[in-house]
Amino acid sequence: MTTISLRGNLVDIPRRRIFPARISIVDGRIDDIVELKDRVDGFLLPGFVDAHIHVESSMLLPSEFARLAVTHGTVATVSDPHEIANVLGVAGVEFMIANGGQVPFKFFFGAPSCVPATVFETAGARVTADEVGALLDREDVWYLSEVMDFPGVLTGADEVMKKVAHARRLGKPIDGHAPGLRGKDAARYAAAGISTDHECFTLEEALDKLACGMHIQIREGSAAKNFEALHPLLSSHPDRVMFCTDDKHPDGLVAAHINDLCARGVALGHDVFNVLRAACTNTVAHYQLPVGQLRVGDPADFIVVDDVTRFRVKRTYINGRLVAENGESLIERVTTQRLNNFHCNTRRPPDFRTPDERARALG
Ligand SMILES: [Zn+2]
């Protein structure tokens, strides 16, 4: 039995209070929380969760992504492996789950719903409705990921509706991806059981989808940046919004992650507890993830920060284990099998010569 004891100002997000406390961790779980009278340094809060990210966009293995993310206080991600699935099919999804499982980080992978994304796309692989069903049946596949084929949902196309029905039968969440969908169409899309969207570019679109009962994932990644447009939702709909990045390139991940969105939200004058709901608790509640929320009995997934304005992360704990300290990752590198190879011969300049002058326009 290992016991750890820590002091700090505990940020109780649901009760909206901060108080000096001593927490005890026994075998990776919060065993006890005692309110203290004396002043203590630092703040203890649940770890950050990215509500929607394609880990592949970081160009890192999940294990390497985790090593970086924990330095910014991220303890979990809801991750759609559809980029690797587009290349390698189900074997790619299985690889992501297996590699992510080798490190002390909480990856929650979904079953990619649209590989290829549309019937017009030539992908390296297909994931059929039966294969999606088999993935969804697995305990370590948590949801049906972004249903990009919204025209298919609106017309009731067999293939996509089969996948949606399977997820609904299992009671697993279904993520949306419907840029620009509004009004009655948005309502029909939501009525199919699709409960989130991370594609809103305007507040009006987000309010439309919220009115349909959807949850909005405020996306601020390396590609699309919607925080400026959507941050008012932190105050107007604090129970229905989550932070996500969707795509996060490696240089961006070195700099910051969800911690940065917390600092920006608070700097804009949003209530700190509302900001932290989007960063920590709403995602865990929506997907019913086994990620600790600093309550007695929870897995000890939490972070220590200097203050609740800049959110500079001093330490990150996952299942009671210290995984990052002062910007240094304490997660060890893992070895992994190589799954995909490119086969080609060396090319020389003459190989690129073309008799057709028009091709030069590309150069
Ligand atoms: Zn996405």
Side-chain angles (χ1 to χ4, degrees):
M1 191 166 88
T2 48
T3 307
I4 313 168
S5 181
L6 275 171
R7 287 159 170 261
N9 294 291
L10 192 140
V11 182
D12 185 340
I13 302 168
R15 290 188 187 80
R16 308 176 75 85
R17 65 183 285 253
I18 299 177
F19 57 92
R22 186 183 65 237
I23 62 169
S24 305
I25 302 157
V26 177
D27 287 340
R29 289 190 176 268
I30 308 283
D31 187 60
D32 196 20
I33 298 175
V34 179
E35 192 162 344
L36 304 173
K37 293 264 180 295
D38 24 330
R39 283 170 58 103
V40 290
D41 288 335
F43 291 79
L44 310 172
L45 61 144
F48 302 128
V49 185
D50 191 328
H52 175 78
I53 178 169
H54 308 280
V55 171
E56 303 94 311
S57 68
S58 72
M59 299 172 211
L60 299 169
L61 295 167
S63 54
E64 289 296 315
F65 173 93
R67 293 183 70 244
L68 262 180
V70 291
T71 65
H72 305 304
T74 306
V75 298
T77 62
V78 177
S79 291
D80 170 19
H82 87 177
E83 292 177 4
I84 199 163
N86 269 307
V87 180
L88 293 166
V90 171
V93 176
E94 288 172 341
F95 170 81
M96 297 297 274
I97 295 171
N99 176 266
Q102 286 182 274
V103 288
F105 184 85
K106 300 197 170 183
F107 285 108
F108 299 100
F109 287 105
S113 68
C114 302
V115 176
T118 69
V119 288
F120 305 109
E121 202 171 289
T122 316
R126 277 183 69 80
V127 181
T128 65
D130 286 343
E131 287 173 322
V132 168
L135 281 171
L136 281 169
D137 287 340
R138 291 174 56 144
E139 266 184 23
D140 53 5
V141 172
W142 292 78
Y143 64 102
L144 181 64
S145 62
E146 54 178 311
V147 181
M148 301 164 89
D149 185 10
F150 60 85
V153 174
L154 297 179
T155 57
D158 273 359
E159 183 85 355
V160 69
M161 293 318 282
K162 225 170 132 181
K163 300 168 192 171
V164 166
H166 199 110
R168 289 188 76 159
R169 264 199 306 280
L170 294 169
K172 295 195 174 181
I174 305 169
D175 273 354
H177 167 113
L181 201 67
R182 303 285 298 263
K184 284 198 182 109
D185 284 346
R188 282 174 56 211
Y189 184 70
I194 298 164
S195 53
T196 67
D197 187 85
H198 57 268
E199 289 289 335
C200 296
F201 278 82
T202 65
L203 195 56
E204 293 68 32
E205 184 183 343
L207 290 170
D208 230 22
K209 285 174 176 159
L210 282 160
C212 300
M214 297 179 89
H215 297 250
I216 296 299
Q217 295 170 332
I218 299 177
R219 171 178 57 180
E220 185 79 352
S222 302
K225 297 183 189 295
N226 310 126
F227 181 85
E228 274 312 309
L230 303 184
H231 75 79
L233 300 175
L234 290 168
S235 291
S236 66
H237 296 78
D239 54 332
R240 307 268 297 284
V241 291
M242 317 171 202
F243 286 142
C244 81
T245 57
D246 203 359
D247 287 324
K248 190 81 175 163
H249 298 162
D251 51 337
L253 187 62
V254 166
H257 196 194
I258 302 299
N259 56 332
D260 180 52
L261 298 181
C262 293
R264 288 171 66 183
V266 170
L268 284 163
H270 295 290
D271 176 273
V272 67
F273 297 106
N274 287 344
V275 170
L276 290 175
R277 289 184 77 171
C280 309
T281 57
N282 287 349
T283 304
V284 171
H286 179 72
Y287 294 95
Q288 297 186 33
L289 307 177
V291 175
Q293 298 293 295
L294 271 183
R295 296 167 302 201
V296 172
D298 278 2
D301 307 320
F302 65 97
I303 60 177
V304 184
V305 295
D306 283 330
D307 55 49
V308 284
T309 49
R310 289 168 304 169
F311 295 95
R312 272 203 229 126
V313 177
K314 288 175 76 174
R315 287 197 288 277
T316 305
Y317 291 84
I318 296 178
N319 288 333
R321 176 171 161 187
L322 182 64
V323 290
E325 188 163 29
N326 298 325
E328 287 287 319
S329 188
L330 303 177
I331 298 179
E332 281 171 26
R333 289 221 150 89
V334 298
T335 50
T336 193
Q337 107 253 37
R338 188 171 300 183
L339 200 63
N340 195 20
N341 287 300
F342 292 95
H343 300 289
C344 63
N345 302 320
T346 310
R347 298 284 174 203
R348 304 193 181 287
D351 296 330
F352 297 96
R353 234 169 242 149
T354 166
D356 192 334
E357 283 295 313
R358 283 171 303 177
R360 295 222 175 130
L362 295 170

